[in-house]
Amino acid sequence: MSYTKFVAPLVRANSGSIRKLRISPARCRSTVASTKTREEKEQQQQQKTNGCTVVEAAPVELISQSRKATKAPLSKTHIDFENTQEAYKSKGNIELLRSLLVFKLCTFDILVDKNKELMDLSRKLFGQWMFEKLMKMTFYGQFVAGEDHNSIKPLIRKNEAFGVGAVLDYSVEEDLTQEEAEKKEMDSCVSEAEKESPGADHREKKYKAHRQFGDRRGGVISARTYFYADEAKCDMQMETFINCIKASGGASNDGFSAIKMTALGRPQFLLQFSEVLVKWRRFFNFLSAQQGKSQMTVLEQKLELEQLKESLTELGVGAKDDIENWFTGEKLGLSGTIDLLDWNSLINDTTKISNLLMVPNLQTGHLEPLLNIFTEEEERQMKRMLQRVDILAKHAVENGVRLMVDAEQTYFQPAISRLTLEMQRKFNREKPVIFNTYQCYLKEAYDNVTLDVELSRREGWYFGAKLVRGAYMYQERARAKEIGYEDPINPDYEATNRMYHKCLEYVLEEIEHSRKANVMVATHNEDTVKFTLDKMNEMGLSPTENKVYFGQLLGMCDQISFPLGQAGFPVYKYVPYGPVNEVIPYLSRRAQENRGIMKRSQRERSLLWKELRRRLLAGQIIYKPVY
């Protein structure tokens, strides 16, 4: 596979020049100045209606209002999450009893805190065969589908018969000690240049590895963690993902498969590329403040080109001729302004990845390399990572599977999101194949969602998103406080809820407007599910359009998943699989997560008891699901 072909949509930034900007014609509902002439803008300024500028498309805030005025009333869908007969009709009585047992065990702190030690002791006492039997009767049977892609097929088919699809997730992890994890992280996140001359580069502390946070599993109970060993290990993990994609294509009609970028290459690149992207965005904010536009929303900030060129010339960022050439895109040349999306596309493509790592120095005004030295082996490692991502996307297309790229820590996430965005630009032309994950506990979540939606409008591809609250809150907060940078997390749970609903409503309005956006509402929060259903009813979004999906973990919140599925909504379970001994770290996290859920609410257990009593009173002592 040609690396240059894949990296072509990526950045083309180096110390000499940045090549011409190419922007597709706009197809948007926001006020995109970058595709309008000055004369058009002046005409718009003269037209006022109720204090709002009249533009070619309705402003974002008014879309749902304007469409509601003309929409004919449609029949509304109501889901009864109290109906246990519907919620648990796919479960036998033994399965209900297992759920009650496992959820009860998860409420005992000593069992959860010492779960790994207790599992090791059980293995020694009972032997491997009996230990596996006990696990399959309890925690493994509750939260894991099976040992390999063949053994999981019966469960997937049963769930599909009751309207619930699958997001396959091979959940095998290394069982490393904390010391081993820290060593692997430091070895894989520190470049040769940093080892030879520590402190001589232009790195920020947030985007550098720190030993006290080298074990990225700390404080994380909802996500897998991969540690880099070598390139051969990354190839093995890519093959595992490929097998998962094939299994998803073979086991279900319309499935997803989940991948993590940190499994596919040396995380040093993700750290460095993230820092570059953040510094370029910060530079845009600096220039925007110079033009008095810092108080505007991120998409409203549009820099006047002539003033921008003067600022860059004064700062000494490149030669004057180079600066003229940077902003000569086909559409940009007519507009007289540049917004953040235009700015991001200046980081465009290159045949040498080390040229990506150029950053503006706000003190000197010059572009300078992030690192003083960049070895050929580091260059090859980065290319291989991008190649693996491309291979996985192609396998997803070939197998009719949608690929879900999981979110990770904020010091990796800008690079992960950018690479996922490039995959979407390439593979989401005809339908949504690649889905990015947005963590709504982040303060910048809404800006990230709106920017990516806007780009998809301009370029005409299908936007795919999975919305989650987030898995790394405690770790992120502790790291920010200890190392000394701004906490990226919203201040409390309610703020995160508001952010989640704000992002979700924005994507739903985009679906209503164009039908080219798709979202998975990945949550165990019943209120958020009800909020989504209410919005869909208001907008007339039918579940049969397959634009809004719902997602929960296998073994959890069946009272949400199965009523949705049986009502015709696309709903999916994250389905982990793998050998018993190798998914112990996953099971350990599930126990910890369920402890918090079960202590906050008795709801799921009370519904399970309610259904068992109903069956016993109805004489269904031996109940087997029929499908």
Side-chain angles (χ1 to χ4, degrees):
M1 185 199 73
S2 167
Y3 159 72
T4 307
K5 285 184 179 179
F6 175 62
V7 87
L10 277 174
V11 273
R12 180 185 298 152
N14 55 43
S15 55
S17 63
I18 301 179
R19 292 177 62 182
K20 290 186 179 181
L21 178 67
R22 298 187 299 276
I23 298 178
S24 300
R27 184 192 60 81
C28 49
R29 58 182 166 102
S30 62
T31 56
V32 183
S34 60
T35 58
K36 299 180 178 66
T37 64
R38 286 193 183 87
E39 290 76 9
E40 290 173 315
K41 292 200 297 180
E42 288 169 1
Q43 290 173 7
Q44 290 169 359
Q45 287 295 326
Q46 295 169 3
Q47 295 176 314
K48 302 285 182 178
T49 302
N50 296 328
C52 296
T53 304
V54 177
V55 293
E56 292 177 354
V60 171
E61 294 80 8
L62 302 179
I63 287 175
S64 56
Q65 298 172 19
S66 63
R67 292 181 68 85
K68 280 180 206 168
T70 58
K71 191 186 299 296
L74 298 175
S75 59
K76 293 187 176 182
T77 303
H78 173 72
I79 308 293
D80 182 6
F81 294 112
E82 300 288 335
N83 187 335
T84 60
Q85 187 173 358
E86 287 298 307
Y88 300 116
K89 68 191 298 184
S90 67
K91 309 289 183 188
N93 289 348
I94 297 298
E95 290 175 283
L96 297 186
L97 287 168
R98 181 186 67 197
S99 297
L100 282 164
L101 172 64
V102 168
F103 292 156
K104 182 62 178 177
L105 291 174
C106 288
T107 65
F108 295 109
D109 288 340
I110 189 168
L111 294 180
V112 174
D113 292 335
K114 302 292 183 182
N115 70 84
K116 291 188 72 175
E117 292 88 340
L118 289 170
M119 283 190 276
D120 289 339
L121 179 61
S122 299
R123 191 185 289 110
K124 290 176 183 177
L125 286 176
F126 298 114
Q128 183 64 32
W129 184 84
M130 182 57 72
F131 171 73
E132 291 191 9
K133 278 286 185 185
L134 287 171
M135 291 301 293
K136 288 179 179 179
M137 290 169 61
T138 54
F139 288 92
Y140 183 93
Q142 181 71 18
F143 299 120
V144 183
E147 300 206 38
D148 54 43
H149 62 270
N150 285 318
S151 64
I152 67 176
K153 287 180 180 179
L155 176 64
I156 291 174
R157 286 170 183 156
K158 182 177 83 166
N159 284 352
E160 281 192 332
F162 292 94
V164 176
V167 181
L168 291 195
D169 187 12
Y170 190 68
S171 294
V172 170
E173 298 177 34
E174 287 183 281
D175 195 8
L176 301 173
T177 66
Q178 181 177 336
E179 186 178 355
E180 289 170 334
E182 288 174 356
K183 184 179 187 308
K184 280 178 177 283
E185 187 74 351
M186 297 306 293
D187 288 345
S188 62
C189 287
V190 181
S191 67
E192 290 301 317
E194 291 172 292
K195 291 175 184 175
E196 292 176 10
S197 305
D201 50 44
H202 304 287
R203 303 295 307 283
E204 287 189 14
K205 50 192 172 184
K206 177 176 179 178
Y207 300 99
K208 296 180 76 169
H210 298 267
R211 184 170 291 278
Q212 66 267 46
F213 296 98
D215 187 352
R216 288 183 276 112
R217 300 169 300 182
V220 177
I221 60 172
S222 302
R224 290 172 300 158
T225 303
Y226 290 94
F227 293 95
Y228 180 84
D230 52 37
E231 293 298 296
K233 183 71 175 291
C234 292
D235 285 336
M236 288 175 56
Q237 287 167 170
M238 180 188 70
E239 289 299 323
T240 297
F241 287 144
I242 289 173
N243 291 334
C244 193
I245 289 168
K246 290 179 178 178
S248 184
S252 62
N253 298 323
D254 200 18
F256 285 89
S257 190
I259 67 168
K260 274 205 164 186
M261 289 285 188
T262 48
L264 299 173
R266 190 181 178 98
Q268 172 196 332
F269 172 51
L270 296 176
L271 277 175
Q272 292 169 347
F273 192 28
S274 289
E275 184 172 356
V276 169
L277 293 169
V278 167
K279 284 186 172 179
W280 275 97
R281 181 162 173 173
R282 196 179 298 156
F283 190 36
F284 178 88
N285 294 338
F286 168 77
L287 295 167
S288 183
Q290 279 193 334
Q291 296 192 14
K293 300 180 179 181
S294 58
Q295 299 304 312
M296 296 180 178
T297 64
V298 66
L299 279 172
E300 288 174 338
Q301 293 177 350
K302 296 179 175 66
L303 305 182
E304 300 298 326
L305 263 181
E306 293 307 316
Q307 192 175 339
L308 173 61
K309 291 176 184 178
E310 290 175 11
S311 296
L312 293 175
T313 303
E314 289 173 9
L315 287 169
V317 182
K320 189 170 183 180
D321 289 344
D322 289 333
I323 292 170
E324 284 290 334
N325 289 332
W326 293 356
F327 305 109
T328 55
E330 179 184 350
K331 296 294 179 183
L332 188 63
L334 299 174
S335 69
T337 63
I338 177 171
D339 65 12
L340 184 57
L341 289 176
D342 301 331
W343 181 262
N344 286 343
S345 61
L346 290 173
I347 306 175
N348 204 2
D349 74 329
T350 184
T351 55
K352 187 174 177 61
I353 295 186
S354 55
N355 289 343
L356 303 182
L357 305 180
M358 302 295 298
V359 293
N361 185 320
L362 294 185
Q363 280 70 46
T364 65
H366 294 269
L367 288 177
E368 53 194 23
L370 194 67
L371 298 172
N372 294 327
I373 303 170
F374 201 75
T375 67
E376 289 185 9
E377 177 55 26
E378 288 171 339
E379 178 91 19
R380 285 194 292 270
Q381 288 169 350
M382 292 183 184
K383 287 183 179 181
R384 292 189 200 112
M385 183 179 197
L386 299 174
Q387 288 169 342
R388 292 181 188 113
V389 171
D390 193 44
I391 288 168
L392 290 174
K394 287 177 177 175
H395 275 282
V397 172
E398 290 168 5
N399 287 273
V401 173
R402 288 160 294 185
L403 206 58
M404 196 84 75
V405 181
D406 285 343
E408 305 193 44
Q409 286 88 349
T410 53
Y411 42 91
F412 293 137
Q413 193 56 41
I416 292 170
S417 290
R418 181 61 185 254
L419 294 176
T420 306
L421 187 70
E422 300 305 336
M423 291 165 66
Q424 289 180 313
R425 298 170 94 170
K426 182 174 181 180
F427 295 101
N428 285 13
R429 289 290 168 183
E430 303 297 326
K431 61 181 180 179
V433 175
I434 310 298
F435 280 65
N436 197 8
T437 301
Y438 297 87
Q439 300 171 103
C440 294
Y441 66 10
L442 296 179
K443 295 173 182 175
E444 61 180 22
Y446 184 74
D447 284 349
N448 293 337
V449 169
T450 56
L451 281 168
D452 291 352
V453 167
E454 176 69 18
L455 185 65
S456 71
R457 292 185 208 129
R458 292 188 187 186
E459 298 183 342
W461 44 267
Y462 284 80
F463 175 78
K466 179 178 75 168
L467 296 182
V468 300
R469 279 173 172 79
Y472 306 98
M473 182 179 74
Y474 298 112
Q475 184 189 104
E476 293 274 14
R477 282 218 163 109
R479 191 177 189 268
K481 183 178 180 181
E482 178 67 24
I483 295 172
Y485 56 88
E486 183 185 352
D487 184 353
I489 309 295
N490 285 317
D492 53 42
Y493 186 73
E494 284 308 310
T496 294
N497 277 346
R498 288 193 296 272
M499 180 65 79
Y500 194 106
H501 290 179
K502 185 179 181 181
C503 293
L504 174 57
E505 190 168 13
Y506 187 88
V507 180
L508 289 174
E509 287 187 341
E510 178 64 14
I511 294 171
E512 182 189 29
H513 176 75
S514 72
R515 294 306 198 265
K516 293 196 77 170
N518 300 261
V519 63
M520 174 173 279
V521 184
T523 181
H524 295 155
N525 187 307
E526 193 173 305
D527 289 336
T528 295
V529 173
K530 290 176 178 177
F531 173 87
T532 309
L533 297 177
D534 288 343
K535 289 297 176 185
M536 291 179 70
N537 281 329
E538 286 175 20
M539 296 175 174
L541 290 178
S542 168
T544 58
E545 291 189 59
N546 287 329
K547 297 295 182 182
V548 182
Y549 319 105
F550 296 88
Q552 290 85 40
L553 291 168
L554 182 71
M556 295 173 66
C557 292
D558 287 344
Q559 80 276 9
I560 292 176
S561 308
F562 285 89
L564 283 171
Q566 288 162 59
F569 287 86
V571 59
Y572 294 83
K573 288 289 194 182
Y574 250 69
V575 177
Y577 67 100
V580 175
N581 284 331
E582 296 180 51
V583 297
I584 294 299
Y586 175 84
L587 292 173
S588 177
R589 291 200 310 275
R590 290 287 72 78
Q592 293 178 55
E593 184 169 13
N594 274 288
R595 169 172 58 181
I597 292 173
M598 292 302 153
K599 283 192 170 181
R600 286 194 301 271
S601 171
Q602 299 293 319
R603 176 169 167 72
E604 190 158 2
R605 280 195 290 155
S606 67
L607 290 174
L608 286 163
W609 277 121
K610 179 182 175 183
E611 176 59 13
L612 267 177
R613 285 194 297 269
R614 188 199 66 78
R615 290 181 185 180
L616 291 174
L617 291 173
Q620 297 175 321
I621 298 173
I622 299 175
Y623 174 88
K624 289 186 178 180
V626 178
Y627 59 97

